[in-house]
Amino acid sequence: MNNETDIITNLTDLETFLISVENDSLGLTNVTGVAMATNNKDGRRFIAVLDDQHQLLLSRWVTEEVFQTGQDLVRNGTSRTAH
């Protein structure tokens, strides 16, 4: 479940995406975690939303800069809430 044209290019967009996942705004069920990952096929970076069986529910491509600078945000969660 990845939209090829929907790429997260900055930390603000990453945080917004994480808040959407945390607030169940995306309509996903059984969400238990998010992780930064690398596509084995082409090396592209992405953020993955995982279920309780560690299966991929949703993903978004991220730039290399977001991958490198957003790891703490993914690991520790966001500090703001949706408006």
Side-chain angles (χ1 to χ4, degrees):
M1 274 184 131
N2 198 356
N3 182 340
E4 288 292 323
T5 61
D6 194 8
I7 301 171
I8 296 173
T9 59
N10 59 64
L11 292 180
T12 301
D13 289 348
L14 176 61
E15 187 174 31
T16 299
F17 178 77
L18 291 172
I19 289 169
S20 296
V21 171
E22 291 170 0
N23 291 336
D24 198 26
S25 300
L26 301 173
L28 302 172
T29 56
N30 248 4
V31 174
T32 58
V34 293
M36 295 288 233
T38 303
N39 183 314
N40 290 335
K41 209 176 226 184
D42 61 12
R44 290 176 68 188
R45 308 297 193 147
F46 65 97
I47 184 166
V49 181
L50 306 170
D51 70 7
D52 57 352
Q53 300 294 312
H54 302 283
Q55 297 297 306
L56 182 65
L57 296 173
L58 180 69
S59 65
R60 291 286 184 268
W61 295 117
V62 298
T63 62
E64 183 63 28
E65 180 182 354
V66 170
F67 183 84
Q68 296 299 329
T69 59
Q71 292 182 21
D72 285 336
L73 186 60
V74 172
R75 186 179 303 118
N76 300 320
T78 63
S79 59
R80 68 180 178 123
T81 57
H83 303 291

